């Protein structure tokens, strides 16, 4: 049997199985009681084929639109721009000057000419009755009017099916239909021979059995459909940052409306069609729509942003123009709504087993019917009544046929693969109670087979609640964990150093200090940015004053390869200044000067360099995440088209950020080790910090190896063969290093690999792994879209706990399946 399964279903994998392979093995499973029910909670292949056809059509349309827009840019200034567009009456009465269809045609078609006619982005914003700086009004009446004109940002979904639909589907079973015919004939023959009610007993017994099977099946499937509906609702809880009524806030993507000003960052999915307002270094991955892997630069010249695409680099503000089903992504999602998940490997094998058993059951049913009929014929031959057939004989033949059909009904284990689906769905619901959102059904099964875990550090093993607890500026090193100590530290350092430090904190950041609707100060951004901004506020800095004092000329967002971010600002008295922050060793290596204890810029000699390096090592040995901040005075000849310089900086100081280890991680790692699961830490932090955290978690042992990414990538294939099994910690790793490690573990060492991560730098490894776990909120969406088997875990969860739970669950399912077979 094992050879048969491997021969017919061996190319159907847990992930990346082609639709052709899935369709082929479904066709092999020809002997089923109810084919529609067997594949109810798995992929709808016909819908997927439709979606692929639409995607190809969209790709061609977008390619044409891009080519046309590029050509239009070359001579648009020479045209006499005029338009015969007439604002619909209902739109004008609502207070707007442009309709939804016109907006959709501009963005979807990349129509530069129409955009120019309507006054560029500013003109579109004015016609949408919104402000680029303040956003739309939050008045309930005005929001309802806007919804009525432009629609809401939701996709049309199939209406929920009622209980009677499930009853009808349960009846679409060939064996039940045959039994129904048997019941009808039995009623007719029985009543004719023995009268009512004695003659109807057998027929009514069969009818009762059929109704019992149908209603039990329908009830089970109906309840399960409600569970899947709840799961889908949880999967769609995605928030985005917008500005409304001049207040920056988080709202659900389904509450977005045309006119909203959305803030997008690296890793985000574009939630609706829109236009670029402002931003820096924005690269958009449009492969989900166009199929092109090359990212597209989005700027004032090419301002079009399409729903469903991903922000690969940079950050920007976007004006929402089209929402919901009017977007290309909405049209695609209309066909994907019933796409479903691929079958899990265990389901595939159980379907194959069910088919084999069904064939065997059919064979014995035919043999049984033939033997019983032969016995009846032999008896009539002996009695000499073989030419005389009575109603009793016909009734006996009917009973024989019913017995044969019953054998088929009992023999075909149609519910076996379905039981696995229901068990996994039940596990998904249970895991949601533990702050884990499973977005792919197969992940529950795959997770239980994991033999190694490659875990990120920040936010996975640690709480990701960061606070600056130590700082070294102008040779002054102090603990700054409280407001009093921070205030004292600010008084101890020179004023010029403090001013430069605050400027670096508030200008060179991806976060923002805002005042919410309750008039309370709120810090938005990643945990690292939040910690630095909070430190700046405790030092007495004013974020709004610093932001208004100078103008940002260029921004290079944090990059996981360069491990630093930079910004160029224009000073109030003229001149340009660049600020840089990032991994301490990398930024410090770019510095040749520092601010001394007198606030004077001095050359970075050997003694001061060693002092700063010792400070970094000391902070790291205390499990602190270290960041170095630096600045560089630029001449007026610098152009914003040029990259920000990578050397010649002046070191402002070093900060140590505390990120405590998550409670329960050490115990979970120990249990995983006892279960035979190897846990490895792969992080971008420096080696000393990574080793300190790994020892605290119980990951790094005496016989394990801790290595840095640059050293790892220089190893030959032969060296990696010996090195990889011993690696327990990889620090300063790049996305490619993580991907290489996971690839070797899966292919060379035949491990079932699970990877946890929370950002774009983790996406390649998540995609390569057998199962990817996206941690928390930041970066989750890009992890989900890159990973095939994936789970979202809340940051309050102990991640290893789920592997333990799934390990036992998976084994139990297999044992039950084997016993049933």
């Amino acid at each position: 049997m094992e050879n048969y399964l491997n021969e017919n279903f061996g190319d159907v994998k847990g992930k990346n199985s082609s639709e052709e392979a899935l369709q082929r093995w479904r066709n092999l499973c020809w002997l089923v009681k109810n084919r529609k029910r067997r594949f109810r909670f798995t992929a709808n292949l016909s819908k997927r084929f439709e979606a692929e056809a639409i995607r190809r059509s969209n790709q061609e349309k977008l390619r044409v639109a891009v080519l046309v827009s590029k050509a239009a840019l070359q001579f648009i200034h020479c045209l006499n721009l005029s338009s015969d567009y007439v604002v619909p009456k209902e739109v004008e009465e609502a207070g707007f000057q442009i309709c939804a269809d016109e907006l959709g045609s501009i963005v979807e078609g990349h129509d530069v000419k129409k955009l120019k006619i309507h006054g560029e982005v500013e003109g579109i914003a004015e016609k949408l009755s919104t402000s680029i700086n303040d956003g739309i009004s939050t008045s309930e009446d005005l929001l309802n009017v806007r919804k009525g004109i432009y629609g809401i940002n939701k996709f049309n979904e199939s209406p929920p099916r009622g209980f009677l639909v499930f009853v009808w589907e349960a009846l679409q079973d060939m064996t039940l239909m045959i039994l129904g015919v048997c019941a009808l004939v039995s009623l007719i023959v029985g009543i004719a021979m023995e009268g009512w009610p004695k003659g109807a007993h057998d027929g009514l017994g069969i009818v009762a059995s059929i109704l019992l099977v149908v209603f039990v099946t329908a009830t089970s499937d109906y309840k399960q459909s409600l569970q899947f509906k709840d799961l889908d609702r949880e999967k769609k809880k995605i928030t985005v940052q917008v500005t409304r009524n001049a207040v920056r806030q988080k709202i659900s993507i389904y509450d977005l409306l045309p006119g909203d000003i959305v803030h997008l960052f690296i890793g985000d999915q574009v939630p609706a069609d829109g236009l670029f307002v402002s931003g820096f270094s924005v690269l958009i991955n449009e492969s989900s729509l166009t199929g092109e892997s090359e990212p597209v630069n989005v700027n004032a010249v090419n301002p079009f942003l399409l729903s469903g695409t991903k922000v690969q680099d940079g950050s920007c503000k976007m004006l929402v123009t089209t929402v919901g089903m009017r977007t290309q992504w909405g049209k695609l999602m209309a066909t994907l709504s019933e796409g479903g998940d691929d079958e899990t490997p265990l389901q595939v094998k159980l379907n194959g087993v069910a088919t084999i058993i069904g064939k065997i059951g059919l064979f014995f049913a035919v043999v049984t019917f033939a033997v019983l009929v032969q016995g009846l014929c032999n008896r009539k031959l002996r009695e000499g009544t073989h030419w005389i057939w009575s109603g009793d004989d016909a009734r006996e033949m009917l009973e024989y046929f019913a017995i044969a059909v019953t054998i088929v009904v009992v023999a075909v284990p149609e519910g076996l693969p379905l039981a696995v689906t229901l068990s996994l769905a039940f596990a998904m619901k249970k895991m949601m109670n533990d702050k884990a959102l499973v977005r792919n059904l197969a992940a529950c099964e795959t997770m239980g087979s994991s033999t190694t875990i490659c875990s990120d550090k920040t936010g996975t093993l640690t709480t990701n609640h960061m606070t600056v607890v130590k700082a070294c500026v102008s040779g002054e090193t102090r603990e700054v964990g409280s407001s009093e100590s921070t205030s004292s530290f600010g008084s101890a350092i020179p004023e010029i150093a403090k001013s430069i430090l605050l400027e670096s904190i508030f200008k060179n950041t991806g976060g923002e200090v805002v005042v919410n609707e309750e008039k309370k100060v709120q810090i938005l951004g990643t945990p690292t940015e939040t910690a630095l901004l909070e430190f700046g506020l405790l030092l007495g800095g004013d974020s709004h004053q610093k932001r208004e004092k100078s103008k940002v000329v260029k921004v290079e967002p944090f990059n996981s390869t360069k491990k630093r971010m930079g910004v160029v600002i224009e000073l109030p008295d003229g001149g340009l200044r660049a600020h840089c922050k990032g991994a301490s060793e990398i930024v410090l290596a770019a510095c040749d000067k520092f601010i001394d204890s007198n606030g004077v810029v001095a050359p970075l000699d050997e003694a001061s360099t060693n002092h700063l390096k010792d400070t970094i090592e000391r902070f790291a040995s205390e499990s602190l995440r270290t960041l170095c901040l630096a600045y560089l005075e630029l001449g007026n000849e610098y152009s914003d088209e040029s990259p920000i310089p990578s050397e010649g900086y002046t070191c402002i100081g070093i900060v140590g950020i505390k990120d405590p280890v998550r409670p329960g991680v050490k115990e979970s790692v120990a249990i995983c080790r006892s279960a035979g699961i190897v846990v490895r830490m792969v992080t971008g932090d420096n080696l000393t910090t990574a080793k300190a955290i790994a020892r605290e978690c119980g990951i790094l042992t005496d016989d394990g190896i801790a290595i840095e990414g640059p050293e790892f990538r220089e190893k030959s294939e032969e060296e990696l063969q010996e090195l990889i099994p011993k690696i327990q910690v990889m620090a300063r790793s790049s996305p490619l290093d993580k991907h290489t490690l996971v690839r070797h573990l899966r292919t060379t060492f035949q491990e079932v690999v699970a990877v946890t991560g929370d950002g774009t730098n983790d996406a390649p490894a998540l995609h390569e792994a057998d199962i990817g776990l996206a941690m928390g909120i930041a970066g989750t969406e890009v992890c989900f879209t890159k990973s095939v088997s994936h789970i979202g875990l809340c940051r309050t969860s102990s991640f290893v706990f789920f592997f333990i739970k799934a390990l036992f669950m998976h084994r139990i399912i297999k044992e039950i399946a084997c016993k049933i077979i």
Side-chain angles (χ1 to χ4, degrees), residues 77-96:
H77 296 293
C78 305
L79 296 176
N80 179 20
L81 295 174
S82 60
S83 173
D84 55 358
Y85 172 71
V86 178
V87 183
K89 186 177 180 181
E90 64 273 11
V91 174
E92 194 168 10
E93 289 176 351
F96 307 108

Side-chain angles (χ1 to χ4, degrees), residues 4-213:
Y4 174 85
L5 294 174
N6 290 331
E7 179 182 346
N8 289 283
F9 313 128
D11 58 342
V12 182
K13 308 298 181 184
K15 54 185 283 188
N16 297 335
S17 293
S18 65
E19 270 73 16
E20 290 76 14
L22 291 174
Q23 188 64 59
R24 181 174 57 78
W25 81 258
R26 284 190 184 192
N27 291 335
L28 286 174
C29 298
W30 59 273
L31 186 68
V32 293
K33 288 164 65 181
N34 190 333
R35 185 180 184 83
K36 191 170 184 180
R37 181 171 181 264
R38 175 180 280 197
F39 300 113
R40 170 172 295 152
F41 297 115
T42 53
N44 188 326
L45 299 184
S46 61
K47 288 288 184 182
R48 290 194 177 185
F49 290 135
E50 289 179 27
E52 186 60 32
I54 292 178
R55 185 181 288 110
R56 284 195 295 267
S57 175
N58 289 346
Q59 289 173 3
E60 189 59 33
K61 288 179 183 177
L62 289 171
R63 287 195 186 98
V64 172
V66 171
L67 292 173
V68 170
S69 65
K70 287 180 179 178
L73 283 173
Q74 298 178 4
F75 61 89
I76 196 167
H77 296 293
C78 305
L79 296 176
N80 179 20
L81 295 174
S82 60
S83 173
D84 55 358
Y85 172 71
V86 178
V87 183
K89 186 177 180 181
E90 64 273 11
V91 174
E92 194 168 10
E93 289 176 351
F96 307 108
Q97 298 298 317
I98 190 168
C99 68
D101 292 335
E102 183 74 0
L103 285 168
S105 66
I106 292 173
V107 179
E108 182 184 328
H110 288 53
D111 199 323
V112 181
K113 181 181 176 182
K114 280 187 179 181
L115 182 62
K116 195 83 173 177
I117 290 170
H118 287 289
E120 303 283 353
V121 178
E122 293 79 7
I124 296 289
E126 185 178 345
K127 293 183 177 183
L128 280 170
S129 298
T130 187
S131 166
I132 287 177
N133 296 319
D134 299 339
I136 63 177
S137 170
T138 54
S139 167
E140 193 66 31
D141 293 336
L142 294 177
L143 290 178
N144 289 333
V145 170
R146 197 176 290 269
K147 289 178 184 178
I149 297 297
Y150 297 107
I152 56 177
N153 196 34
K154 290 185 179 179
F155 307 126
N156 292 341
E157 298 180 354
S158 302
R161 294 183 294 179
F163 177 73
L164 292 179
V165 175
F166 287 91
V167 172
W168 175 252
E169 287 185 355
L171 284 168
Q172 311 302 307
D173 191 312
M174 184 57 66
T175 50
L176 290 182
M177 292 179 185
I178 294 172
L179 284 177
V181 173
C182 291
L184 179 63
V185 175
S186 179
L187 282 170
I188 295 173
V189 174
I191 293 173
M193 297 293 297
E194 300 181 24
W196 176 268
K198 185 178 180 180
H201 288 168
D202 290 342
L204 290 177
I206 298 175
V207 171
S209 301
I210 293 173
L211 291 177
L212 179 63
V213 170

Side-chain angles (χ1 to χ4, degrees), residues 465-473 478-483 485-486 489 501 505 527-539 619 624-627 629 654-660:
H465 182 73
M466 297 187 177
T467 308
V468 177
V469 295
K470 281 194 174 182
C472 173
V473 179
R478 289 196 188 183
E479 292 190 5
V480 290
S482 63
S483 57
S485 58
T486 306
F489 175 76
L501 175 63
I505 289 173
T528 304
E529 299 286 6
T530 302
L532 283 174
L533 290 172
E534 186 178 4
F535 176 55
L537 293 175
L538 290 175
L539 281 172
F619 284 7
L624 301 182
R625 186 176 192 176
T626 63
L627 289 176
L629 292 84
I654 295 164
V655 295
I657 301 176
K658 182 70 173 178
D659 189 10

